[in-house]
């Protein structure tokens, strides 16, 4: 199903009753600019969700019941400008989250239960201007965090429990003008 609705600019809703065998949903709703909500009944086999909702500028809600097999969520919600909150039930196998919420300007909250295998968080919350706080349970595998919170102007606190393997934090908080508290207990 990769790129299935790529550029479907008039698409407002989708009903797909059976998606249990699908492995690739990358670029599925790329630039589907009228799409407001998506509910997919079974995403348990999906491995790649990169750019899945990239450019879906009217998207306000997403329901993905299982995301345990996904390894790539890079740019998943890139420029999803009206999305306010995201809850992903399983993220334990994801290795790539770069640009995941970049440009998600209305995003206020994110729930990512496990991030222990993620190696790249580059630009993850870049220009997520309404996001006020972020907390991760495990960031021990992350190597790249450059520009992670660039221009996240409402961000006031960040907690990153493990940063000992990070080699690049260049510009991590550039323009985060509301930032008052950062916890980086382990820096290599």
């Amino acid at each position: 199903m990769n790129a299935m609705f790529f550029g479907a600019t008039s698409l407002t809703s989708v009903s797909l009753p059976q998606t249990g065998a699908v492995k690739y949903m990358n670029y599925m709703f790329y630039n589907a600019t009228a799409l407001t909500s998506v509910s997919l009944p079974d995403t348990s086999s999906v491995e790649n969700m990169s750019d899945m909702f990239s450019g879906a500028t009217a998207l306000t809600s997403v329901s993905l019941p299982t995301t345990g097999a996904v390894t790539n969520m890079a740019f998943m919600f890139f420029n999803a400008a009206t999305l306010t909150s995201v809850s992903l039930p399983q993220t334990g196998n994801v290795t790539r989250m770069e640009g995941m919420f970049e440009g998600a300007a209305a995003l206020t909250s994110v729930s990512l239960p496990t991030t222990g295998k993620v190696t790249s968080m580059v630009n993850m919350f870049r220009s997520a201007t309404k996001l006020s706080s972020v907390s991760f349970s495990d960031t021990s595998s992350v190597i790249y965090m450059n520009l992670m919170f660039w221009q996240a102007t409402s961000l006031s606190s960040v907690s990153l429990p493990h940063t000992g393997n990070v080699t690049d934090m260049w510009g991590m908080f550039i323009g985060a003008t509301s930032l008052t508290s950062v916890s980086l207990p382990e820096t290599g």
Side-chain angles (χ1 to χ4, degrees):
M1 289 188 170
N2 55 323
M4 188 173 182
F5 302 104
F6 188 111
T9 57
S10 297
L11 182 71
T12 58
S13 64
V14 174
S15 177
L16 300 169
Q18 303 235 338
T19 54
V22 178
K23 285 190 174 189
Y24 305 102
M25 288 188 173
N26 46 314
Y27 296 95
M28 189 171 176
F29 301 103
Y30 186 91
N31 280 346
T33 55
L35 188 68
T36 57
S37 65
V38 174
S39 181
L40 300 172
D42 186 355
T43 52
S44 59
S45 297
V46 180
E47 296 171 7
N48 192 340
M49 288 185 172
S50 65
D51 288 282
M52 188 172 176
F53 303 103
S54 187
T57 55
L59 187 69
T60 56
S61 66
V62 175
S63 177
L64 302 171
T66 49
T67 51
V70 181
T71 59
N72 189 350
M73 289 185 173
F75 302 99
M76 188 172 175
F77 300 102
F78 177 79
N79 282 341
T82 56
L83 188 67
T84 56
S85 66
V86 174
S87 180
L88 299 170
Q90 300 122 344
T91 51
N93 286 315
V94 180
T95 58
R96 295 186 56 198
M97 286 187 171
E98 68 267 18
M100 189 172 176
F101 302 103
E102 182 177 349
L107 187 70
T108 57
S109 66
V110 175
S111 176
L112 302 170
T114 313
T115 51
K117 291 185 179 178
V118 178
T119 58
S120 179
M121 290 185 171
V122 175
N123 291 323
M124 189 171 177
F125 298 102
R126 182 176 180 160
S127 298
T129 55
K130 297 264 198 266
L131 189 68
S132 60
S133 67
V134 176
S135 182
F136 292 96
S137 60
D138 187 358
T139 52
S140 59
S141 297
V142 180
I143 299 168
Y144 307 106
M145 287 185 170
N146 44 310
L147 299 169
M148 188 173 173
F149 301 103
W150 188 84
Q151 293 294 329
T153 54
S154 297
L155 188 69
S156 61
S157 66
V158 174
S159 178
L160 301 167
H162 309 285
T163 53
N165 289 322
V166 178
T167 60
D168 194 347
M169 288 184 175
W170 185 88
M172 191 170 171
F173 299 103
I174 289 177
T177 55
S178 299
L179 191 63
T180 58
S181 172
V182 176
S183 176
L184 303 170
E186 180 189 301
T187 52

